[in-house]
Amino acid sequence: MSVRTPPMPQVDPSAPAVRPRSIPEGFPPPDGSGVDPVDEGGSVQRMTESALWSLFTLCVVTALSMLVGTLIAERNASLLHNKMLPWILGRGLGTACYLALTAMVVLGIWLRHPWRTRMWSPRLEELLRAHVTLAACTITLLAGHLTAIALDHYAGVGWIGTFVPWHAAYRPTAVALGTLALYAVVLIAATAALAGAIGRRIWFPIHTVSATVFGLTLMHGLLSGSDSHALRWMYVVTGAAVVAVQVSRWTACYGSTRPVLELE
């Protein structure tokens, strides 16, 4: 009994050579080595650039912080013995926290804005890194703001008024709005940190509440801490900026056929 050998496929010598495709990021190569030989050089270069950029950012932020801290300490040395220091610190940290939150919300909206792919914009990885950094700054400044306000004896907010809505002696409704925003920020930050474990269907709808948190924070600042024209204008300008970016995104998404960014 003879066994027939299948014919070998004919190769057209005029056909163009097929180049090996680069393996998508996050998938191991078929040889099991864990290194994609096609994209190895590019991955190393991107990692090096990212590390250098992070180091540069850290150096710049540290230098600016030291410079600003030195100037503030030299010009406000008398505040160290002022009984209003906790109140002043609380107001300053609260304003800084609001500005960090504003930048974080604007950047979060821009991440899913159709214009991001049509206009010049930093790379997606850099935008995400900046978004996470602003979130960490917001939470840190928020913790300092809460501690200073709770320790202050001038306004009489106290620890209970800080964490229990409508229990503050100083403008209870305004402070309560800030307390509600606090719990919303904690919920958003916790679900975002667990995004890889709980899945997009859970964390992303909660993450979209950030716009509402910004609105609560804006009203909290207007009703409890806008006792000067400069602060009022700051709230008006930042609030208008967030609304403008959000409305432009809605308008662009309505008339665009391109898919928006999907974050897993």
Side-chain angles (χ1 to χ4, degrees):
M1 181 176 180
S2 61
V3 179
R4 298 184 60 184
T5 304
M8 297 294 293
Q10 299 294 326
V11 179
D12 185 5
S14 63
V18 180
R19 298 181 59 185
R21 295 185 302 173
S22 176
I23 300 173
E25 184 178 356
F27 291 85
D31 59 359
S33 62
V35 178
D36 181 5
V38 178
D39 197 47
E40 180 179 3
S43 298
V44 173
Q45 183 180 0
R46 288 194 297 269
M47 292 176 62
T48 304
E49 292 178 355
S50 177
L52 291 176
W53 177 255
S54 299
L55 180 61
F56 173 75
T57 305
L58 177 62
C59 293
V60 171
V61 171
T62 303
L64 290 177
S65 300
M66 294 178 63
L67 177 62
V68 173
T70 302
L71 294 176
I72 293 176
E74 290 178 353
R75 297 193 177 188
N76 300 278
S78 60
L79 289 176
L80 296 177
H81 305 285
N82 193 330
K83 64 179 182 178
M84 299 287 293
L85 179 60
W87 173 249
I88 297 173
L89 285 176
R91 293 287 301 275
L93 291 170
T95 303
C97 177
Y98 170 78
L99 292 176
L101 176 66
T102 302
M104 180 183 65
V105 171
V106 170
L107 190 56
I109 298 173
W110 181 251
L111 281 170
R112 292 178 54 81
H113 204 301
W115 292 354
R116 183 181 62 83
T117 58
R118 305 172 188 172
M119 304 168 57
W120 180 90
S121 178
R123 292 185 302 178
L124 178 61
E125 294 81 1
E126 296 174 355
L127 292 175
L128 289 172
R129 190 180 298 112
H131 186 67
V132 173
T133 302
L134 287 171
C137 292
T138 301
I139 294 174
T140 303
L141 293 169
L142 177 60
H145 171 65
L146 295 174
T147 303
I149 292 298
L151 294 175
D152 173 60
H153 298 289
Y154 167 73
V157 176
W159 290 103
I160 296 179
T162 300
F163 294 100
V164 181
W166 289 281
H167 278 68
Y170 174 82
R171 301 182 182 180
T173 299
V175 176
L177 293 176
T179 303
L180 296 176
L182 162 66
Y183 293 131
V185 167
V186 172
L187 176 63
I188 293 171
T191 52
L194 298 174
I198 62 179
R200 185 180 186 275
R201 291 185 178 181
I202 298 178
W203 79 266
F204 189 74
I206 298 176
H207 207 73
T208 56
V209 184
S210 300
T212 304
V213 176
F214 175 80
L216 289 174
T217 308
L218 176 62
M219 294 304 300
H220 167 70
L222 283 172
L223 296 176
S224 64
S226 59
D227 50 2
S228 67
H229 293 290
L231 286 176
R232 293 192 191 100
W233 276 110
M234 181 198 70
Y235 288 121
V236 170
V237 171
T238 53
V242 172
V243 171
V245 175
Q246 183 68 283
V247 170
S248 68
R249 176 183 171 269
W250 286 338
T251 305
C253 289
Y254 180 78
S256 175
T257 58
R258 293 186 179 185
V260 296
L261 172 66
E262 294 293 338
L263 301 175
E264 296 296 337

